């Protein structure tokens, strides 16, 4: 009682104790957020600038000679003369075609990889067959093989199949499954209550019905997480689509941006146009993060990806 009274007496009656620790934490958080978001702001600032004025106003925080010309060039709304007059390279990006190609490739890879990986994970987690654990251990060793090692064999295979410059050639190596996806889903499938399966078998359900009516609905969260991670990875892929899909009819946005960057007849890149095209290319991912932000945060918790 005496200790409590002493503590009360020693506490200041007027004013509040300033939480310096919390203030410092918020200050550090704001600085980190500013450092993270500044490159995006600089990309936006450059996209609204006139390419000819960028060198003179390189240190300015506001757009140099504000213009929407870069966006007009990317969307094909300006002539070559207008593009060159604003410091553009005269090159163009068939944005809508390349956007369609990226959506087709990323969606195909995501749907195929998630579906087939879920089937494989179900076989490893819920079915009993001789050598299952040994095969799964052998399957996991593929995680230790760098993807670059399989690029050349896959390219030769796609070429021999006559699938160069086709959608199927781009998506086929990633369409069926990946060791990570199978391992990831297997861990969740193992946690499904065995009583649900037993009840379904008593009702006459087979493996197909159990898979579609029990396993998939119960693990909707992890499956959605895997789909998001797969879609983002496929959308950002550059090297494999560059090797297999050089034709403009199947060229994806990441490859198109690289080609647009190399179109420099004026002697220097069209930085404003490149930043505008990059912003457009990132827009679907920004929308995905805005709509499924909570699920993406959960995916980091599920996988430990940083």
């Amino acid at each position: 009682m005496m200790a409590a009274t002493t503590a009360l007496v020693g506490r200041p009656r007027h004013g509040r104790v300033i939480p310096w620790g919390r203030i410092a934490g918020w200050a550090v958080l704001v600085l980190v957020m500013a450092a993270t978001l500044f490159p995006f702001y600089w990309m936006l600032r450059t996209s609204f600038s006139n390419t000819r004025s960028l060198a003179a106003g390189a240190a300015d925080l506001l757009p140099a000679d504000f213009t929407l010309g870069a966006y007009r060039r990317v969307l094909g709304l300006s002539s070559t003369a207008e593009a060159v007059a604003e410091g553009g390279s005269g090159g163009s990006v068939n944005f809508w075609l390349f956007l369609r190609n990226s959506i087709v490739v990323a969606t195909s890879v995501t749907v195929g990889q998630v579906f087939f990986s879920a089937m494989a994970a179900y076989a490893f987690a819920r079915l009993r067959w001789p050598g299952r654990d040994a095969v799964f251990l052998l399957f996991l060793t593929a995680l230790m093989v760098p993807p670059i090692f399989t690029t050349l064999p896959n390219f030769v295979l796609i070429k021999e199949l006559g699938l160069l410059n086709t959608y199927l050639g781009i998506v086929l190596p990633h369409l069926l499954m990946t060791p990570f996806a199978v391992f990831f889903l297997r861990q969740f499938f193992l946690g499904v209550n065995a009583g649900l399966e037993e009840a379904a078998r008593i009702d006459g359900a087979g493996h197909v019905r159990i898979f579609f009516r029990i396993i998939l609905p119960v693990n909707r969260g992890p499956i959605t997480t895997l789909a998001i991670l797969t879609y983002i990875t496929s959308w950002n892929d550059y090297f494999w689509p560059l090797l297999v899909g050089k034709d403009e009819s199947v060229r994806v946005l990441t490859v198109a941006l690289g080609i647009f960057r190399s179109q420099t007849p004026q002697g220097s890149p069209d930085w404003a146009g490149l930043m505008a095209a990059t912003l457009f290319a990132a827009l679907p991912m920004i929308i995905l993060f805005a709509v499924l932000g909570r699920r993406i945060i959960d995916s980091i918790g599920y996988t430990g990806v940083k």
Side-chain angles (χ1 to χ4, degrees):
M1 185 67 179
M2 183 65 67
T5 303
T6 304
L8 290 174
V9 172
R11 186 174 300 170
R13 296 183 179 182
H14 302 287
R16 299 177 60 185
V17 177
I18 300 177
W20 292 110
R22 179 174 297 179
I23 293 175
W26 278 105
V28 172
L29 181 61
V30 170
L31 290 176
V32 171
M33 290 181 61
T36 302
L37 295 177
F38 185 76
F40 294 97
Y41 167 75
W42 199 255
M43 178 177 68
L44 190 65
R45 172 258 184 194
T46 304
S47 68
F48 285 118
S49 300
N50 188 315
T51 302
R52 292 188 180 277
S53 304
L54 279 175
D60 297 339
L61 292 177
L62 297 178
D65 192 9
F66 181 89
T67 178
L68 296 176
Y71 293 94
R72 293 175 55 84
R73 294 197 295 276
V74 170
L75 296 177
L77 301 178
S78 62
S79 63
T80 302
E82 291 174 337
V84 173
E86 292 186 348
S89 63
S92 61
V93 178
N94 194 344
F95 177 78
W96 300 112
L97 173 62
F98 302 146
L99 176 64
R100 183 200 69 184
N101 294 340
S102 290
I103 292 175
V104 170
V105 169
T107 303
S108 301
V109 169
T110 301
V111 172
Q113 187 176 136
V114 172
F115 178 71
F116 290 113
S117 295
M119 293 178 63
Y122 176 73
F124 281 122
R126 313 303 298 189
L127 303 184
R128 302 292 180 182
W129 41 279
R132 183 192 65 174
D133 295 338
V135 172
F136 181 69
L137 181 62
L138 181 64
F139 186 77
L140 284 184
T141 58
L143 287 171
M144 297 183 289
V145 179
I148 192 65
F149 285 2
T150 61
T151 300
L152 181 58
N154 284 336
F155 178 80
V156 173
L157 177 61
I158 295 299
K159 181 180 179 181
E160 293 298 324
L161 292 174
L163 297 177
L164 292 179
N165 296 316
T166 63
Y167 287 125
L168 185 59
I170 297 176
V171 305
L172 192 58
H174 313 288
L175 182 64
L176 297 181
M177 65 183 72
T178 62
F180 168 76
V182 175
F183 171 77
F184 175 72
L185 291 180
R186 175 183 176 271
Q187 301 308 112
F188 290 96
F189 289 0
L190 287 173
V192 175
N193 191 342
L196 295 175
E197 281 188 272
E198 294 298 331
R201 289 195 181 94
I202 292 174
D203 290 340
H207 290 300
V208 175
R209 186 177 176 185
I210 292 174
F211 176 72
F212 284 102
R213 301 295 296 274
I214 296 178
I215 299 298
L216 294 186
V218 169
N219 293 277
R220 183 170 57 250
I223 290 174
T224 304
T225 295
L226 179 63
I228 293 171
L229 297 178
T230 304
Y231 196 91
I232 294 174
T233 301
S234 179
W235 185 272
N236 293 329
D237 194 14
Y238 173 79
F239 188 57
W240 178 252
L242 175 65
L243 290 178
V244 180
K246 292 184 177 181
D247 191 82
E248 185 172 314
S249 61
V250 295
R251 185 179 298 161
V252 298
L253 267 174
T254 51
V255 177
L257 291 178
I259 294 176
F260 182 73
R261 162 70 175 79
S262 65
Q263 294 173 339
T264 56
Q266 300 294 316
S268 62
D270 180 7
W271 290 114
L274 182 62
M275 291 300 102
T278 303
L279 184 63
F280 275 131
L283 194 59
M285 293 296 100
I286 294 174
I287 296 174
L288 183 66
F289 271 80
V291 175
L292 300 174
R294 185 66 181 178
R295 180 62 63 187
I296 294 173
I297 294 174
D298 292 341
S299 71
I300 297 174
Y302 276 134
T303 62
V305 176
K306 296 182 180 180

